[in-house]
Amino acid sequence: MAETLEKIPKEMFEPAPVNPHESEVIAKPQLSFAKDAWLRVRKNKGAIISLVLLVLIIIMAIIGPHLSHFSPTEQNTSHANLPPRIPGLEKIGIFDGSQKIGGVETNIYKEQHIKEYYWFGTDGLGRDLFSRVWLGTRVSLYIAFLAALIDMIIGVTYGLVSGFKGGQVDNVMQRILEVLSGIPNLIVVILMLLIMEPGILSITVAMVITGWIGMARVVRGQVLKLKSQEYVMASKTLGASNSRILFKHLLPNLSGVIIINTMFTIPSAIFFEAFLSFIGIGLQAPKASLGTLIEDGYKTFQFLPHLMIIPCIVICIILVASNLIGDGLRDAFDPKMRD
C-alpha cells in the first residue's frame, strides 16, 4: 500500500492554483432600503413624470405671480373678460386673443385696441388670470402641505403613543378617535364659521381637529405589529427607553407607510379646500385659490370657458400627479414588489 502511494505524483495531493479572475464575485451590490426604493421608483415612468410636473407647478406657484406685469388684485374693467393672448403663439393662430361672439370669430384685442398681453386672459373685473391662477395654486398648495404637516406631527405621534402603550391608554385614545371621526369635516368647518370668518384660518382649525385621524389609525396598526418584533424586545432587554425605541427603532421602520399616506393626504386636502371655496364657505374675495377661481369661472363657462378650464387643468394635474407619486412610492416601499 505504501509503495503504491509513493508512485502517485505529489501534484495530485496539492490544491489546484486559484485563478483570481474565477473567484466568487458578488453579482449585485448591497443596497440600503432607501436606495433600493429610489431605484424602483425611478423605473416607474408615471411617478417620475408626475414628480417633475408637481415640482414645476410648485416653482410656478412661487414665482408665477411675479412673472406677470399685472397684479393679481389690480382691477381694470376696460380689460374685463379678455381671452388668452400669448406673444409668439398668436402668429400661428393659437392664443391670439380671438373669441367667438354671436358665432363670429372676433379678435377682441384688435377691436378694443389693447396692446397688452394677458397670457391666461382676464376675469370679469379685468384682473390678470395668469397671476391669479398661480397665486391660487400657492394657497391651495399651502393648505395641502399644512395638512401633510399636521398628519406628520399630530397623527404620527398620536398613533405611535397609542399603539406602543397599549392596554387602557390605547383604549382611551381610540375612543377619543372614534368620537372625532364621527364628526364630518364639513360640520367642523361650518361650526368654525360661527366663531371666525371664512378663510384659511377656519380651514386650518378644521384640519387640526379631524384631519389627522386617518394617519393616526394607520400608524397605530403598524406599531401594534412591529412592537413585538425581536429587535424591539432586544432594545428593551438592553435597557433602552421608550422614547428611544419609538423614535430610533419603530419610526424609521414606519417611514414608508408615513410617506405614502402623506402623499395621498395632499390631493385630499386640495380637493377639500376647492370644494369649500366652490360652495362659498372657503376663501372669500378678493383672495384667490383654485376653488374660488373655478367657482368664478363656473358662472360664465358657456361664454368664457377659459376662466374655468385653466384652473381646472392645474388642479387636475396636482391631484393626478400626487396620486401617481403615491402609487409609485407604495410599490417602491413594498418588499413584495422587489425583483
Side-chain angles (χ1 to χ4, degrees):
M1 185 69 180
E3 295 177 356
T4 305
L5 293 174
E6 290 178 357
K7 293 180 180 179
I8 299 175
K10 295 181 179 180
E11 289 79 2
M12 295 185 64
F13 296 97
E14 296 179 357
V18 178
N19 188 351
H21 299 287
E22 296 179 357
S23 59
E24 294 184 359
V25 180
I26 298 176
K28 187 176 181 180
Q30 293 184 352
L31 299 174
S32 63
F33 177 74
K35 186 178 291 185
D36 183 52
W38 165 245
L39 290 176
R40 278 181 283 151
V41 169
R42 198 168 61 181
K43 295 178 182 178
N44 192 327
K45 295 182 180 179
I48 295 298
I49 294 173
S50 300
L51 180 61
V52 172
L53 289 176
L54 190 59
V55 170
L56 290 176
I57 287 179
I58 293 173
I59 293 174
M60 288 302 299
I62 297 172
I63 67 174
H66 304 289
L67 296 178
S68 177
H69 301 292
F70 309 99
S71 170
T73 57
E74 181 183 356
Q75 300 181 12
N76 187 353
T77 54
S78 62
H79 292 179
N81 296 327
L82 292 176
R85 185 188 184 193
I86 302 176
L89 296 180
E90 59 178 348
K91 296 180 180 179
I92 59 176
I94 303 176
F95 300 116
D96 58 350
S98 298
Q99 181 181 349
K100 282 189 177 182
I101 301 177
V104 179
E105 194 78 17
T106 306
N107 193 312
I108 302 179
Y109 286 82
K110 292 182 179 179
E111 282 198 352
Q112 299 183 9
H113 304 288
I114 299 174
K115 297 181 180 180
E116 292 86 353
Y117 287 87
Y118 292 96
W119 296 344
F120 286 174
T122 59
D123 61 6
L125 296 176
R127 294 173 295 192
D128 178 41
L129 190 61
F130 180 85
S131 56
R132 286 183 65 78
V133 164
W134 297 121
L135 182 64
T137 304
R138 183 189 300 177
V139 174
S140 296
L141 289 175
Y142 163 77
I143 297 290
F145 291 130
L146 178 64
L149 183 64
I150 291 171
D151 271 4
M152 296 281 286
I153 296 176
I154 303 178
V156 172
T157 305
Y158 196 96
L160 279 173
V161 175
S162 177
F164 186 75
K165 287 293 184 180
Q168 192 64 28
V169 174
D170 184 39
N171 287 333
V172 173
M173 296 180 74
Q174 291 308 303
R175 299 298 81 76
I176 296 173
L177 277 188
E178 290 176 0
V179 172
L180 292 177
S181 62
I183 307 173
N185 285 342
L186 185 59
I187 301 299
V188 176
V189 174
I190 294 174
L191 291 176
M192 290 300 104
L193 294 179
L194 300 176
I195 304 173
M196 20 180 124
E197 296 180 356
I200 296 179
L201 183 59
S202 60
I203 297 174
T204 302
V205 173
M207 289 191 298
V208 169
I209 295 175
T210 60
W212 49 271
I213 295 175
M215 176 68 80
R217 285 178 168 171
V218 171
V219 172
R220 172 186 174 268
Q222 293 295 317
V223 171
L224 290 175
K225 183 176 70 174
L226 294 176
K227 73 176 185 179
S228 59
Q229 299 293 323
E230 289 79 3
Y231 64 88
V232 177
M233 298 175 64
S235 297
K236 289 182 179 180
T237 305
L238 293 173
S241 61
N242 290 339
S243 60
R244 181 176 179 83
I245 294 174
L246 283 173
F247 295 103
K248 291 290 185 179
H249 298 289
L250 291 178
L251 190 59
N253 286 280
L254 293 170
S255 59
V257 176
I258 293 171
I259 292 172
I260 293 167
N261 282 273
T262 301
M263 288 307 303
F264 285 120
T265 299
I266 291 175
S268 300
I270 291 177
F271 183 79
F272 180 62
E273 182 277 325
F275 169 73
L276 293 179
S277 299
F278 185 79
I279 64 177
I281 61 175
L283 269 70
Q284 303 295 314
K287 296 180 181 179
S289 71
L290 293 176
T292 58
L293 294 175
I294 293 172
E295 195 272 335
D296 290 340
Y298 171 76
K299 301 173 183 176
T300 58
F301 178 71
Q302 292 182 336
F303 311 103
L304 302 167
H306 67 278
L307 295 179
M308 181 178 173
I309 290 176
I310 293 175
C312 280
I313 291 174
V314 175
I315 196 172
C316 285
I317 291 175
I318 296 174
L319 297 181
V320 173
S322 299
N323 280 291
L324 289 177
I325 294 171
D327 287 335
L329 292 175
R330 180 180 58 193
D331 295 341
F333 286 116
D334 187 0
K336 299 178 182 177
M337 300 296 294
R338 293 183 181 178
D339 297 333

